[in-house]
Amino acid sequence: MKCHILTLFPEMVLGGLRTSILGRAEEKGVLSLHGVNIRDFAENKHNRVDDAPYGGGAGLLMQPGPVYSAWKSVAETCEKQPRVIYLTPQGRVFNQEIAGELAKEEELIFLCGHYEGIDERVLELIVTDYLSIGDYVLTGGELAAMAVIDSIARLVPGVLHNDASAEVETFSDGLLEYPQYTRPEEFMGKKVPEVLLSGHHGNVDKWRREQSVLRTARMRPDLLEKAVLTEEEKELLKTLDFQGEM
Ligand code: 6GU
């Protein structure tokens, strides 16, 4: 998978993403991250890429020319035109399902806005997907692009050590992850649950599944609507009253 990131701050996005697992994935050759500095495509000798909005109003907007040229510099190198994802609080709210869809793409272009946004005309010309990472406002699209790219990249085969770990975790079945423990067996007087020391894998799986269901009911009851539960699990939840717990 190859991700091109069009931004005024490529060092922020690449520095963040390359710090850990994705950096190693790049070294292994299963992922490629390419930062494109929109400022390199400025059309004046002061390298300015922003200007005041027509009609007045606060703040500055990114001008269409440099954004278009930055996109074109990437698009020219691609056989099949990649989807162009613009990060904006006006977009569809990103989730694990969208991550799974985007992880199937060979190549993606991410466009990060700054200031008050980007001139609408260039968005109409190049953007295929509008994505938000939640209902709050950031100063720019970079942090959102990093979150989206991280969650997509970890689904690409070979990025994680074992592909199984991408599956078991939170949301693959619509439930939160079960609690986990490592050494020592006792910490500050708190013991690791007995069943995990038993070596009985059937019981371990059963306990973990139950913990996932209970934890989801307590912490994110909204997720249960879409989760696939057995009749037994539904009965278990009916017997509980979680109001205000945890
Ligand atoms: Cl994608 N961009 C910005 N600037 N703010 C956001 C966002 C994106 N998603 C949530 N807030």
Side-chain angles (χ1 to χ4, degrees), residues 120-141:
E120 192 70 20
R121 293 164 295 180
V122 69
L123 301 178
E124 289 172 1
L125 286 168
I126 69 173
V127 173
T128 60
D129 299 78
Y130 293 78
L131 286 185
S132 165
I133 59 164
D135 292 335
Y136 47 86
V137 181
L138 303 169
T139 56

Side-chain angles (χ1 to χ4, degrees), residues 88-208:
T88 167
Q90 299 174 16
R92 184 151 74 112
V93 179
F94 186 65
N95 60 27
Q96 192 63 33
E97 191 185 335
I98 301 173
E101 284 302 312
L102 292 175
K104 294 177 194 158
E105 302 284 337
E106 200 50 51
E107 204 159 4
L108 290 168
I109 299 176
F110 293 87
L111 172 60
C112 304
H114 230 84
Y115 312 114
E116 295 304 308
I118 302 182
D119 184 287
E120 192 70 20
R121 293 164 295 180
V122 69
L123 301 178
E124 289 172 1
L125 286 168
I126 69 173
V127 173
T128 60
D129 299 78
Y130 293 78
L131 286 185
S132 165
I133 59 164
D135 292 335
Y136 47 86
V137 181
L138 303 169
T139 56
E142 284 78 12
L143 278 171
M146 289 165 72
V148 169
I149 292 168
D150 187 279
S151 71
I152 293 170
R154 63 184 288 289
L155 300 177
V156 172
V159 169
L160 297 185
H161 282 298
N162 53 336
D163 290 341
S165 59
E167 279 166 34
V168 182
E169 290 167 20
T170 296
F171 292 126
S172 59
D173 52 6
L175 295 173
L176 300 181
E177 210 179 353
Y178 46 79
Q180 301 212 75
Y181 305 84
T182 184
R183 283 194 286 214
E185 227 175 275
E186 186 176 326
F187 177 70
M188 307 275 271
K190 293 162 83 69
K191 292 198 167 79
V192 171
E194 198 62 43
V195 62
L196 300 179
L197 309 174
S198 68
H200 190 302
H201 296 300
N203 286 350
V204 169
D205 288 347
K206 187 166 173 288
W207 182 85
R208 285 178 167 168

Side-chain angles (χ1 to χ4, degrees), residues 6-25:
L6 316 181
T7 167
L8 291 172
F9 304 98
E11 68 293 344
M12 171 188 178
V13 178
L14 296 177
L17 289 176
R18 283 181 177 150
T19 296
S20 178
I21 295 174
L22 302 198
R24 284 197 291 278

